[in-house]
Amino acid sequence: MCETCGCGDPHRVPVEVQEKILAGNERQAAHNRARFGEHGVLAINLMGSPGAGKTAVLEATARRLGPNRRLAAITGDLATDRDAERLRAAGIPAHAITTGSACHLDAELVHRALHHVPLAGLDYLFIENVGNLVCPAVYDLGQAFNIVVLSVTEGWDKPLKYPVMFRVADLVLVSKVDLLPHLGDVTLEAIAGALARVMPEPHLLAVSAQTGQGIEEWKRWLEAQKAGIRTAPDSLRAHPSP
Amino acid sequence: MCETCGCGDPHRVPVEVQEKILAGNERQAAHNRARFGEHGVLAINLMGSPGAGKTAVLEATARRLGPNRRLAAITGDLATDRDAERLRAAGIPAHAITTGSACHLDAELVHRALHHVPLAGLDYLFIENVGNLVCPAVYDLGQAFNIVVLSVTEGWDKPLKYPVMFRVADLVLVSKVDLLPHLGDVTLEAIAGALARVMPEPHLLAVSAQTGQGIEEWKRWLEAQKAGIRTAPDSLRAHPSP
């Protein structure tokens, strides 16, 4: 975090104000995490740039996991509940948080949204954060895992330029890989190389919601975490999926 | 702006702290604006999501404007000076601001960068903001115009979901239009329709740094503003360029 305000503001928010804000968020996040734990719900904080394909990945995830798994979602956007609508159409009960002009969700906003999302019997709760490659990285929501969706159309160098987000990521879903043939100098190898320079434990999966590529592997990753296996298979470490 | 912190933080930064921060920024922005005016420099605040193509648009702009116009750039990123390096390679003197974890530039950061960017004799100063579709919208830098680069790969609905950014935009450059044939439901008409719902005066230009499409029209827009003509031609209003 920068020396100014909690979400990376370069301005002069006093340090004691920042600390109070983050301490309050940590307390609320711990409360959320305890609730998820009580219900055996695996909570995922899904982050990424605007238009990275977060909602499309969740639609594909719902199709792949099928009716045997119970999913729900909380979606964050400045305005509209379009993402929640799309997810409901894909069979995922979803509640929209509209943040006005706020650039990320926080633990309190998620806590309030949980009044609309019954946790009993749920397997997975996906929290689709506001599209933003900076601010959401700073605020713990109570999730078990941070997943970053990074579209190949954003270029290969984003991990180097926005390292704060990738340092907290447990797994990066490199999305829209069906567009790679049209993107000149962008390759999975270049993206994997950039991630290896900033992620403490580089894990990535190449996916396409359009073609379904990588979605089975992503499903297996989710199911492995759900089963309590925290470590990803060696095959996923810093290697793009085929 | 939201009721919390200057960059749209949902947390509880006291109102008096926010007001002080923004008032300080306004004063510094006015000072920057006066300096740009003294030197007859047209300053452009270039905003957009990570990977929207801001740097590529500037590279293409330098090629099109040619040696008769003197350009300079200030680039903002959390880390690396890659964008400034790319712009220098394209013939634009450029100074990088690395913000650490800050999600936007502010007038003070730009002011400090101006020590490295001589304004005398300059025609255009492009301030390439941190890749972020939320926070940069709130902070005046002293620019004459706000330009938002919106890639077609981000989908057609981003103006509806991130209206704060588009409300302050004087012109939206809809970028990477060469990729449209591969993007299913994304059309220029859909993007123009979404912009028309949130921009007070909807102006857009469809561009591709790859093919050069729309860059001549963008150059003409710049030259018209440089000549002191504030209003864009009617042909640009809410219509995608051919």
Side-chain angles (χ1 to χ4, degrees), chain A residues 2 7-12 51 77 82-83 101-103 106 112 131 139 153 157-158 161-162 176 182, chain B residues 2 7-9 11-12 51 77 82-83 101-103 106 112 131 139 153 157-158 161-162 176 182:
Chain A
C2 80
C7 62
D9 196 300
H11 288 280
R12 286 69 194 146
D77 266 312
R82 282 186 44 78
D83 290 348
S101 65
C103 48
D106 68 9
R112 279 187 237 155
Y139 289 87
T153 58
D157 61 355
K158 293 304 158 292
K161 295 166 71 177
Y162 301 84
K176 308 193 190 186
H182 312 292
Chain B
C2 80
C7 63
D9 194 302
H11 289 282
R12 286 68 195 147
D77 265 314
R82 282 185 46 76
D83 290 347
S101 67
C103 49
D106 68 9
R112 280 187 235 155
Y139 289 89
T153 58
D157 60 355
K158 292 305 159 294
K161 293 165 73 178
Y162 301 84
K176 308 194 190 185
H182 312 293

mmCIF file of all heavy atoms in Angstrom, chain A residues 2 7-12 51 77 82-83 101-103 106 112 131 139 153 157-158 161-162 176 182, chain B residues 2 7-9 11-12 51 77 82-83 101-103 106 112 131 139 153 157-158 161-162 176 182:
data_model
loop_
_atom_site.group_PDB
_atom_site.id
_atom_site.type_symbol
_atom_site.label_atom_id
_atom_site.label_comp_id
_atom_site.label_asym_id
_atom_site.label_seq_id
_atom_site.Cartn_x
_atom_site.Cartn_y
_atom_site.Cartn_z
ATOM 1 N N CYS A 2 0.391 2.284 -0.637
ATOM 2 C CA CYS A 2 1.180 3.503 -0.695
ATOM 3 C C CYS A 2 1.076 4.261 0.641
ATOM 4 O O CYS A 2 0.365 3.874 1.552
ATOM 5 C CB CYS A 2 0.709 4.393 -1.834
ATOM 6 S SG CYS A 2 -0.752 5.338 -1.477
ATOM 7 N N CYS A 7 -6.604 2.942 -0.904
ATOM 8 C CA CYS A 7 -6.717 2.341 -2.227
ATOM 9 C C CYS A 7 -5.656 2.883 -3.159
ATOM 10 O O CYS A 7 -5.822 2.849 -4.371
ATOM 11 C CB CYS A 7 -8.118 2.509 -2.794
ATOM 12 S SG CYS A 7 -8.618 4.194 -3.045
ATOM 13 N N GLY A 8 -4.573 3.338 -2.622
ATOM 14 C CA GLY A 8 -3.459 3.717 -3.472
ATOM 15 C C GLY A 8 -3.531 5.151 -3.938
ATOM 16 O O GLY A 8 -2.965 5.504 -4.965
ATOM 17 N N ASP A 9 -4.202 5.986 -3.204
ATOM 18 C CA ASP A 9 -4.296 7.393 -3.568
ATOM 19 C C ASP A 9 -2.974 8.088 -3.282
ATOM 20 O O ASP A 9 -2.416 7.951 -2.204
ATOM 21 C CB ASP A 9 -5.406 8.039 -2.721
ATOM 22 C CG ASP A 9 -5.824 9.368 -3.286
ATOM 23 O OD1 ASP A 9 -4.964 10.249 -3.372
ATOM 24 O OD2 ASP A 9 -6.993 9.502 -3.633
ATOM 25 N N PRO A 10 -2.438 8.856 -4.270
ATOM 26 C CA PRO A 10 -1.166 9.521 -3.997
ATOM 27 C C PRO A 10 -1.319 10.730 -3.069
ATOM 28 O O PRO A 10 -0.341 11.379 -2.753
ATOM 29 C CB PRO A 10 -0.704 9.954 -5.381
ATOM 30 C CG PRO A 10 -1.943 10.123 -6.176
ATOM 31 C CD PRO A 10 -2.905 9.107 -5.636
ATOM 32 N N HIS A 11 -2.537 11.012 -2.659
ATOM 33 C CA HIS A 11 -2.751 12.222 -1.873
ATOM 34 C C HIS A 11 -2.473 12.016 -0.410
ATOM 35 O O HIS A 11 -2.090 10.950 0.034
ATOM 36 C CB HIS A 11 -4.171 12.735 -2.083
ATOM 37 C CG HIS A 11 -4.315 13.310 -3.445
ATOM 38 N ND1 HIS A 11 -3.889 14.547 -3.779
ATOM 39 C CD2 HIS A 11 -4.799 12.751 -4.567
ATOM 40 C CE1 HIS A 11 -4.121 14.750 -5.050
ATOM 41 N NE2 HIS A 11 -4.659 13.684 -5.553
ATOM 42 N N ARG A 12 -2.751 13.037 0.310
ATOM 43 C CA ARG A 12 -2.249 13.139 1.672
ATOM 44 C C ARG A 12 -3.275 12.746 2.713
ATOM 45 O O ARG A 12 -3.537 13.489 3.666
ATOM 46 C CB ARG A 12 -1.726 14.555 1.887
ATOM 47 C CG ARG A 12 -0.390 14.834 1.192
ATOM 48 C CD ARG A 12 -0.511 14.863 -0.310
ATOM 49 N NE ARG A 12 0.772 14.796 -1.004
ATOM 50 C CZ ARG A 12 0.945 14.191 -2.172
ATOM 51 N NH1 ARG A 12 -0.033 13.559 -2.759
ATOM 52 N NH2 ARG A 12 2.116 14.203 -2.746
ATOM 53 N N GLY A 51 -13.530 -5.425 -18.494
ATOM 54 C CA GLY A 51 -13.560 -6.152 -19.760
ATOM 55 C C GLY A 51 -12.550 -7.273 -19.885
ATOM 56 O O GLY A 51 -12.323 -7.782 -20.987
ATOM 57 N N ASP A 77 -19.792 -3.278 -9.404
ATOM 58 C CA ASP A 77 -19.588 -2.337 -10.506
ATOM 59 C C ASP A 77 -19.970 -0.955 -10.004
ATOM 60 O O ASP A 77 -20.712 -0.835 -9.032
ATOM 61 C CB ASP A 77 -20.456 -2.693 -11.725
ATOM 62 C CG ASP A 77 -19.703 -3.552 -12.729
ATOM 63 O OD1 ASP A 77 -18.561 -3.195 -13.074
ATOM 64 O OD2 ASP A 77 -20.256 -4.577 -13.157
ATOM 65 N N ARG A 82 -25.673 -5.340 -14.547
ATOM 66 C CA ARG A 82 -25.580 -6.176 -15.751
ATOM 67 C C ARG A 82 -24.873 -7.509 -15.503
ATOM 68 O O ARG A 82 -25.292 -8.551 -16.007
ATOM 69 C CB ARG A 82 -24.848 -5.429 -16.879
ATOM 70 C CG ARG A 82 -25.697 -4.390 -17.595
ATOM 71 C CD ARG A 82 -24.934 -3.802 -18.779
ATOM 72 N NE ARG A 82 -24.248 -4.790 -19.579
ATOM 73 C CZ ARG A 82 -24.832 -5.585 -20.469
ATOM 74 N NH1 ARG A 82 -26.126 -5.500 -20.677
ATOM 75 N NH2 ARG A 82 -24.124 -6.465 -21.148
ATOM 76 N N ASP A 83 -23.775 -7.478 -14.742
ATOM 77 C CA ASP A 83 -23.031 -8.716 -14.509
ATOM 78 C C ASP A 83 -23.883 -9.711 -13.718
ATOM 79 O O ASP A 83 -23.910 -10.908 -14.035
ATOM 80 C CB ASP A 83 -21.720 -8.435 -13.763
ATOM 81 C CG ASP A 83 -20.718 -7.694 -14.641
ATOM 82 O OD1 ASP A 83 -20.933 -7.607 -15.860
ATOM 83 O OD2 ASP A 83 -19.722 -7.205 -14.086
ATOM 84 N N SER A 101 -19.013 5.636 -7.165
ATOM 85 C CA SER A 101 -17.745 5.933 -7.831
ATOM 86 C C SER A 101 -16.583 5.200 -7.172
ATOM 87 O O SER A 101 -15.429 5.476 -7.471
ATOM 88 C CB SER A 101 -17.468 7.437 -7.822
ATOM 89 O OG SER A 101 -17.276 7.883 -6.494
ATOM 90 N N ALA A 102 -16.889 4.264 -6.290
ATOM 91 C CA ALA A 102 -15.813 3.556 -5.572
ATOM 92 C C ALA A 102 -15.170 2.515 -6.477
ATOM 93 O O ALA A 102 -15.844 1.808 -7.224
ATOM 94 C CB ALA A 102 -16.356 2.910 -4.314
ATOM 95 N N CYS A 103 -13.863 2.420 -6.350
ATOM 96 C CA CYS A 103 -13.044 1.670 -7.310
ATOM 97 C C CYS A 103 -12.805 0.227 -6.890
ATOM 98 O O CYS A 103 -12.051 -0.478 -7.563
ATOM 99 C CB CYS A 103 -11.717 2.390 -7.502
ATOM 100 S SG CYS A 103 -10.914 2.862 -5.940
ATOM 101 N N ASP A 106 -15.190 -3.712 -0.574
ATOM 102 C CA ASP A 106 -14.498 -3.914 0.695
ATOM 103 C C ASP A 106 -15.297 -4.924 1.521
ATOM 104 O O ASP A 106 -16.377 -5.373 1.114
ATOM 105 C CB ASP A 106 -14.262 -2.588 1.429
ATOM 106 C CG ASP A 106 -15.555 -1.949 1.927
ATOM 107 O OD1 ASP A 106 -16.619 -2.588 1.871
ATOM 108 O OD2 ASP A 106 -15.498 -0.797 2.392
ATOM 109 N N ARG A 112 -22.604 -6.793 3.849
ATOM 110 C CA ARG A 112 -24.005 -6.370 3.647
ATOM 111 C C ARG A 112 -24.670 -7.185 2.538
ATOM 112 O O ARG A 112 -25.838 -7.555 2.634
ATOM 113 C CB ARG A 112 -24.057 -4.886 3.279
ATOM 114 C CG ARG A 112 -23.946 -3.981 4.494
ATOM 115 C CD ARG A 112 -24.169 -2.524 4.090
ATOM 116 N NE ARG A 112 -23.044 -1.685 4.450
ATOM 117 C CZ ARG A 112 -22.716 -0.545 3.864
ATOM 118 N NH1 ARG A 112 -23.426 -0.094 2.845
ATOM 119 N NH2 ARG A 112 -21.691 0.152 4.283
ATOM 120 N N GLY A 131 -14.046 -3.836 -11.860
ATOM 121 C CA GLY A 131 -12.988 -3.961 -12.859
ATOM 122 C C GLY A 131 -11.914 -2.917 -12.639
ATOM 123 O O GLY A 131 -12.143 -1.723 -12.866
ATOM 124 N N TYR A 139 -7.722 -4.639 -0.480
ATOM 125 C CA TYR A 139 -8.774 -4.900 0.504
ATOM 126 C C TYR A 139 -9.147 -6.371 0.595
ATOM 127 O O TYR A 139 -9.704 -6.933 -0.341
ATOM 128 C CB TYR A 139 -10.015 -4.049 0.187
ATOM 129 C CG TYR A 139 -9.730 -2.604 0.487
ATOM 130 C CD1 TYR A 139 -9.159 -1.778 -0.460
ATOM 131 C CD2 TYR A 139 -9.952 -2.098 1.765
ATOM 132 C CE1 TYR A 139 -8.838 -0.471 -0.163
ATOM 133 C CE2 TYR A 139 -9.639 -0.795 2.075
ATOM 134 C CZ TYR A 139 -9.081 0.015 1.107
ATOM 135 O OH TYR A 139 -8.748 1.304 1.409
ATOM 136 N N THR A 153 -5.642 -9.582 -24.572
ATOM 137 C CA THR A 153 -5.767 -8.330 -25.327
ATOM 138 C C THR A 153 -5.182 -7.145 -24.560
ATOM 139 O O THR A 153 -4.979 -6.078 -25.136
ATOM 140 C CB THR A 153 -7.242 -8.009 -25.638
ATOM 141 O OG1 THR A 153 -7.962 -7.921 -24.405
ATOM 142 C CG2 THR A 153 -7.864 -9.077 -26.513
ATOM 143 N N ASP A 157 2.632 -7.242 -20.815
ATOM 144 C CA ASP A 157 3.459 -6.586 -19.800
ATOM 145 C C ASP A 157 2.702 -6.093 -18.580
ATOM 146 O O ASP A 157 3.301 -5.461 -17.696
ATOM 147 C CB ASP A 157 4.241 -5.426 -20.442
ATOM 148 C CG ASP A 157 3.317 -4.363 -21.042
ATOM 149 O OD1 ASP A 157 2.075 -4.564 -21.048
ATOM 150 O OD2 ASP A 157 3.839 -3.331 -21.514
ATOM 151 N N LYS A 158 1.402 -6.348 -18.497
ATOM 152 C CA LYS A 158 0.622 -5.797 -17.384
ATOM 153 C C LYS A 158 1.123 -6.241 -16.006
ATOM 154 O O LYS A 158 1.122 -5.436 -15.070
ATOM 155 C CB LYS A 158 -0.875 -6.098 -17.546
ATOM 156 C CG LYS A 158 -1.515 -5.380 -18.727
ATOM 157 C CD LYS A 158 -1.322 -3.897 -18.668
ATOM 158 C CE LYS A 158 -1.461 -3.206 -20.016
ATOM 159 N NZ LYS A 158 -0.404 -3.513 -21.006
ATOM 160 N N LYS A 161 3.715 -3.825 -14.897
ATOM 161 C CA LYS A 161 3.269 -2.450 -14.693
ATOM 162 C C LYS A 161 2.288 -2.315 -13.525
ATOM 163 O O LYS A 161 2.122 -1.227 -12.985
ATOM 164 C CB LYS A 161 2.635 -1.926 -15.987
ATOM 165 C CG LYS A 161 3.662 -1.825 -17.119
ATOM 166 C CD LYS A 161 3.013 -1.646 -18.469
ATOM 167 C CE LYS A 161 2.403 -0.282 -18.619
ATOM 168 N NZ LYS A 161 1.834 -0.108 -19.982
ATOM 169 N N TYR A 162 1.614 -3.398 -13.175
ATOM 170 C CA TYR A 162 0.624 -3.391 -12.083
ATOM 171 C C TYR A 162 0.938 -4.524 -11.104
ATOM 172 O O TYR A 162 0.097 -5.382 -10.833
ATOM 173 C CB TYR A 162 -0.795 -3.546 -12.656
ATOM 174 C CG TYR A 162 -1.138 -2.451 -13.631
ATOM 175 C CD1 TYR A 162 -0.760 -2.538 -14.966
ATOM 176 C CD2 TYR A 162 -1.783 -1.294 -13.208
ATOM 177 C CE1 TYR A 162 -1.023 -1.511 -15.860
ATOM 178 C CE2 TYR A 162 -2.060 -0.263 -14.091
ATOM 179 C CZ TYR A 162 -1.682 -0.380 -15.412
ATOM 180 O OH TYR A 162 -1.943 0.630 -16.284
ATOM 181 N N LYS A 176 -9.340 -15.083 -22.873
ATOM 182 C CA LYS A 176 -9.509 -14.732 -24.295
ATOM 183 C C LYS A 176 -8.357 -15.242 -25.149
ATOM 184 O O LYS A 176 -7.968 -14.579 -26.130
ATOM 185 C CB LYS A 176 -9.670 -13.207 -24.472
ATOM 186 C CG LYS A 176 -10.765 -12.591 -23.576
ATOM 187 C CD LYS A 176 -11.120 -11.175 -23.989
ATOM 188 C CE LYS A 176 -12.006 -10.519 -22.941
ATOM 189 N NZ LYS A 176 -12.512 -9.203 -23.316
ATOM 190 N N HIS A 182 -4.427 -13.074 -33.327
ATOM 191 C CA HIS A 182 -4.627 -11.748 -33.922
ATOM 192 C C HIS A 182 -3.830 -10.667 -33.199
ATOM 193 O O HIS A 182 -4.013 -9.480 -33.476
ATOM 194 C CB HIS A 182 -6.107 -11.378 -33.888
ATOM 195 C CG HIS A 182 -7.005 -12.463 -34.386
ATOM 196 N ND1 HIS A 182 -7.020 -12.860 -35.714
ATOM 197 C CD2 HIS A 182 -7.881 -13.273 -33.739
ATOM 198 C CE1 HIS A 182 -7.888 -13.861 -35.855
ATOM 199 N NE2 HIS A 182 -8.420 -14.122 -34.678
ATOM 200 N N CYS B 2 -17.585 9.944 -4.777
ATOM 201 C CA CYS B 2 -18.367 9.273 -3.737
ATOM 202 C C CYS B 2 -18.231 10.010 -2.413
ATOM 203 O O CYS B 2 -17.466 10.956 -2.278
ATOM 204 C CB CYS B 2 -17.928 7.816 -3.584
ATOM 205 S SG CYS B 2 -16.449 7.611 -2.604
ATOM 206 N N CYS B 7 -10.550 9.141 -4.431
ATOM 207 C CA CYS B 7 -10.469 8.269 -5.603
ATOM 208 C C CYS B 7 -11.550 7.206 -5.578
ATOM 209 O O CYS B 7 -11.422 6.171 -6.199
ATOM 210 C CB CYS B 7 -9.083 7.666 -5.742
ATOM 211 S SG CYS B 7 -8.592 6.607 -4.408
ATOM 212 N N GLY B 8 -12.612 7.498 -4.869
ATOM 213 C CA GLY B 8 -13.754 6.602 -4.934
ATOM 214 C C GLY B 8 -13.669 5.453 -3.951
ATOM 215 O O GLY B 8 -14.250 4.411 -4.153
ATOM 216 N N ASP B 9 -12.953 5.641 -2.875
ATOM 217 C CA ASP B 9 -12.838 4.607 -1.861
ATOM 218 C C ASP B 9 -14.140 4.505 -1.090
ATOM 219 O O ASP B 9 -14.668 5.510 -0.633
ATOM 220 C CB ASP B 9 -11.689 4.990 -0.911
ATOM 221 C CG ASP B 9 -11.278 3.819 -0.054
ATOM 222 O OD1 ASP B 9 -12.147 3.298 0.665
ATOM 223 O OD2 ASP B 9 -10.109 3.443 -0.121
ATOM 224 N N HIS B 11 -14.541 3.529 1.740
ATOM 225 C CA HIS B 11 -14.286 3.606 3.182
ATOM 226 C C HIS B 11 -14.552 4.977 3.735
ATOM 227 O O HIS B 11 -14.927 5.900 3.033
ATOM 228 C CB HIS B 11 -12.877 3.156 3.486
ATOM 229 C CG HIS B 11 -12.745 1.691 3.290
ATOM 230 N ND1 HIS B 11 -13.194 0.766 4.184
ATOM 231 C CD2 HIS B 11 -12.263 0.993 2.240
ATOM 232 C CE1 HIS B 11 -12.982 -0.437 3.713
ATOM 233 N NE2 HIS B 11 -12.419 -0.331 2.538
ATOM 234 N N ARG B 12 -14.262 5.063 4.986
ATOM 235 C CA ARG B 12 -14.732 6.193 5.770
ATOM 236 C C ARG B 12 -13.676 7.269 5.943
ATOM 237 O O ARG B 12 -13.395 7.708 7.059
ATOM 238 C CB ARG B 12 -15.253 5.692 7.115
ATOM 239 C CG ARG B 12 -16.612 4.981 7.026
ATOM 240 C CD ARG B 12 -16.539 3.667 6.301
ATOM 241 N NE ARG B 12 -17.804 3.117 5.893
ATOM 242 C CZ ARG B 12 -17.968 2.395 4.783
ATOM 243 N NH1 ARG B 12 -16.982 2.180 3.955
ATOM 244 N NH2 ARG B 12 -19.137 1.898 4.498
ATOM 245 N N GLY B 51 -4.037 -1.672 -20.743
ATOM 246 C CA GLY B 51 -4.042 -2.393 -22.013
ATOM 247 C C GLY B 51 -5.067 -1.906 -23.017
ATOM 248 O O GLY B 51 -5.332 -2.584 -24.016
ATOM 249 N N ASP B 77 2.422 4.924 -14.343
ATOM 250 C CA ASP B 77 2.207 3.496 -14.109
ATOM 251 C C ASP B 77 2.613 3.209 -12.677
ATOM 252 O O ASP B 77 3.377 3.960 -12.083
ATOM 253 C CB ASP B 77 3.060 2.635 -15.061
ATOM 254 C CG ASP B 77 2.289 2.209 -16.298
ATOM 255 O OD1 ASP B 77 1.132 1.766 -16.154
ATOM 256 O OD2 ASP B 77 2.834 2.321 -17.401
ATOM 257 N N ARG B 82 8.203 1.523 -18.900
ATOM 258 C CA ARG B 82 8.060 0.919 -20.231
ATOM 259 C C ARG B 82 7.351 1.833 -21.218
ATOM 260 O O ARG B 82 7.756 1.953 -22.371
ATOM 261 C CB ARG B 82 7.302 -0.409 -20.137
ATOM 262 C CG ARG B 82 8.151 -1.568 -19.650
ATOM 263 C CD ARG B 82 7.364 -2.881 -19.704
ATOM 264 N NE ARG B 82 6.642 -3.063 -20.955
ATOM 265 C CZ ARG B 82 7.192 -3.413 -22.114
ATOM 266 N NH1 ARG B 82 8.481 -3.626 -22.169
ATOM 267 N NH2 ARG B 82 6.457 -3.546 -23.205
ATOM 268 N N ASP B 83 6.253 2.475 -20.781
ATOM 269 C CA ASP B 83 5.497 3.321 -21.712
ATOM 270 C C ASP B 83 6.349 4.499 -22.167
ATOM 271 O O ASP B 83 6.358 4.847 -23.356
ATOM 272 C CB ASP B 83 4.209 3.832 -21.057
ATOM 273 C CG ASP B 83 3.194 2.711 -20.859
ATOM 274 O OD1 ASP B 83 3.391 1.625 -21.435
ATOM 275 O OD2 ASP B 83 2.218 2.936 -20.133
ATOM 276 N N SER B 101 1.805 2.266 -5.542
ATOM 277 C CA SER B 101 0.528 1.567 -5.612
ATOM 278 C C SER B 101 -0.623 2.530 -5.882
ATOM 279 O O SER B 101 -1.784 2.137 -5.774
ATOM 280 C CB SER B 101 0.263 0.798 -4.318
ATOM 281 O OG SER B 101 0.081 1.702 -3.258
ATOM 282 N N ALA B 102 -0.305 3.760 -6.231
ATOM 283 C CA ALA B 102 -1.370 4.743 -6.433
ATOM 284 C C ALA B 102 -2.053 4.515 -7.777
ATOM 285 O O ALA B 102 -1.402 4.243 -8.785
ATOM 286 C CB ALA B 102 -0.828 6.159 -6.355
ATOM 287 N N CYS B 103 -3.378 4.683 -7.768
ATOM 288 C CA CYS B 103 -4.213 4.269 -8.885
ATOM 289 C C CYS B 103 -4.462 5.370 -9.910
ATOM 290 O O CYS B 103 -5.231 5.171 -10.839
ATOM 291 C CB CYS B 103 -5.538 3.749 -8.345
ATOM 292 S SG CYS B 103 -6.309 4.861 -7.137
ATOM 293 N N ASP B 106 -1.998 12.775 -10.071
ATOM 294 C CA ASP B 106 -2.657 13.977 -9.569
ATOM 295 C C ASP B 106 -1.864 15.194 -10.027
ATOM 296 O O ASP B 106 -0.794 15.059 -10.644
ATOM 297 C CB ASP B 106 -2.850 13.929 -8.046
ATOM 298 C CG ASP B 106 -1.539 14.012 -7.279
ATOM 299 O OD1 ASP B 106 -0.480 14.269 -7.886
ATOM 300 O OD2 ASP B 106 -1.569 13.825 -6.060
ATOM 301 N N ARG B 112 5.477 18.068 -10.586
ATOM 302 C CA ARG B 112 6.872 17.659 -10.363
ATOM 303 C C ARG B 112 7.498 17.126 -11.650
ATOM 304 O O ARG B 112 8.660 17.380 -11.940
ATOM 305 C CB ARG B 112 6.933 16.572 -9.282
ATOM 306 C CG ARG B 112 6.835 17.145 -7.878
ATOM 307 C CD ARG B 112 7.067 16.034 -6.860
ATOM 308 N NE ARG B 112 5.971 15.938 -5.920
ATOM 309 C CZ ARG B 112 5.631 14.851 -5.238
ATOM 310 N NH1 ARG B 112 6.306 13.723 -5.406
ATOM 311 N NH2 ARG B 112 4.629 14.873 -4.389
ATOM 312 N N GLY B 131 -3.376 3.184 -15.974
ATOM 313 C CA GLY B 131 -4.449 2.395 -16.575
ATOM 314 C C GLY B 131 -5.502 2.062 -15.547
ATOM 315 O O GLY B 131 -5.267 1.239 -14.651
ATOM 316 N N TYR B 139 -9.478 13.418 -10.670
ATOM 317 C CA TYR B 139 -8.417 14.390 -10.405
ATOM 318 C C TYR B 139 -8.055 15.224 -11.627
ATOM 319 O O TYR B 139 -7.498 14.709 -12.597
ATOM 320 C CB TYR B 139 -7.170 13.663 -9.874
ATOM 321 C CG TYR B 139 -7.427 13.181 -8.478
ATOM 322 C CD1 TYR B 139 -7.973 11.937 -8.249
ATOM 323 C CD2 TYR B 139 -7.200 14.028 -7.402
ATOM 324 C CE1 TYR B 139 -8.274 11.524 -6.967
ATOM 325 C CE2 TYR B 139 -7.501 13.623 -6.111
ATOM 326 C CZ TYR B 139 -8.035 12.377 -5.907
ATOM 327 O OH TYR B 139 -8.351 11.976 -4.641
ATOM 328 N N THR B 153 -12.104 -4.634 -27.268
ATOM 329 C CA THR B 153 -11.991 -5.925 -26.580
ATOM 330 C C THR B 153 -12.547 -5.876 -25.161
ATOM 331 O O THR B 153 -12.734 -6.914 -24.527
ATOM 332 C CB THR B 153 -10.522 -6.378 -26.502
ATOM 333 O OG1 THR B 153 -9.763 -5.378 -25.810
ATOM 334 C CG2 THR B 153 -9.938 -6.588 -27.883
ATOM 335 N N ASP B 157 -20.269 -2.557 -23.170
ATOM 336 C CA ASP B 157 -21.072 -2.015 -22.069
ATOM 337 C C ASP B 157 -20.282 -1.224 -21.029
ATOM 338 O O ASP B 157 -20.845 -0.787 -20.025
ATOM 339 C CB ASP B 157 -21.853 -3.145 -21.381
ATOM 340 C CG ASP B 157 -20.926 -4.224 -20.801
ATOM 341 O OD1 ASP B 157 -19.691 -4.138 -21.011
ATOM 342 O OD2 ASP B 157 -21.447 -5.145 -20.138
ATOM 343 N N LYS B 158 -18.982 -1.023 -21.239
ATOM 344 C CA LYS B 158 -18.176 -0.368 -20.206
ATOM 345 C C LYS B 158 -18.654 1.052 -19.865
ATOM 346 O O LYS B 158 -18.642 1.429 -18.694
ATOM 347 C CB LYS B 158 -16.689 -0.368 -20.577
ATOM 348 C CG LYS B 158 -16.068 -1.762 -20.569
ATOM 349 C CD LYS B 158 -16.265 -2.461 -19.257
ATOM 350 C CE LYS B 158 -16.123 -3.978 -19.344
ATOM 351 N NZ LYS B 158 -17.156 -4.673 -20.138
ATOM 352 N N LYS B 161 -21.190 0.772 -17.190
ATOM 353 C CA LYS B 161 -20.725 0.229 -15.901
ATOM 354 C C LYS B 161 -19.718 1.153 -15.203
ATOM 355 O O LYS B 161 -19.527 1.050 -13.998
ATOM 356 C CB LYS B 161 -20.117 -1.154 -16.130
ATOM 357 C CG LYS B 161 -21.170 -2.176 -16.574
ATOM 358 C CD LYS B 161 -20.539 -3.420 -17.148
ATOM 359 C CE LYS B 161 -19.912 -4.284 -16.078
ATOM 360 N NZ LYS B 161 -19.351 -5.527 -16.654
ATOM 361 N N TYR B 162 -19.059 2.012 -15.974
ATOM 362 C CA TYR B 162 -18.044 2.933 -15.421
ATOM 363 C C TYR B 162 -18.354 4.363 -15.869
ATOM 364 O O TYR B 162 -17.529 5.017 -16.499
ATOM 365 C CB TYR B 162 -16.641 2.504 -15.876
ATOM 366 C CG TYR B 162 -16.311 1.096 -15.448
ATOM 367 C CD1 TYR B 162 -16.716 0.002 -16.207
ATOM 368 C CD2 TYR B 162 -15.637 0.863 -14.252
ATOM 369 C CE1 TYR B 162 -16.452 -1.292 -15.790
ATOM 370 C CE2 TYR B 162 -15.367 -0.432 -13.833
ATOM 371 C CZ TYR B 162 -15.780 -1.503 -14.607
ATOM 372 O OH TYR B 162 -15.518 -2.780 -14.187
ATOM 373 N N LYS B 176 -8.463 -0.401 -31.176
ATOM 374 C CA LYS B 176 -8.321 -1.806 -31.608
ATOM 375 C C LYS B 176 -9.500 -2.259 -32.458
ATOM 376 O O LYS B 176 -9.904 -3.437 -32.385
ATOM 377 C CB LYS B 176 -8.136 -2.741 -30.391
ATOM 378 C CG LYS B 176 -7.024 -2.292 -29.446
ATOM 379 C CD LYS B 176 -6.637 -3.380 -28.468
ATOM 380 C CE LYS B 176 -5.709 -2.821 -27.377
ATOM 381 N NZ LYS B 176 -5.194 -3.816 -26.454
ATOM 382 N N HIS B 182 -13.535 -10.338 -34.728
ATOM 383 C CA HIS B 182 -13.334 -11.534 -33.898
ATOM 384 C C HIS B 182 -14.095 -11.469 -32.582
ATOM 385 O O HIS B 182 -13.889 -12.306 -31.704
ATOM 386 C CB HIS B 182 -11.843 -11.710 -33.612
ATOM 387 C CG HIS B 182 -10.981 -11.589 -34.833
ATOM 388 N ND1 HIS B 182 -11.014 -12.502 -35.859
ATOM 389 C CD2 HIS B 182 -10.088 -10.636 -35.215
ATOM 390 C CE1 HIS B 182 -10.169 -12.130 -36.809
ATOM 391 N NE2 HIS B 182 -9.605 -10.993 -36.450
#
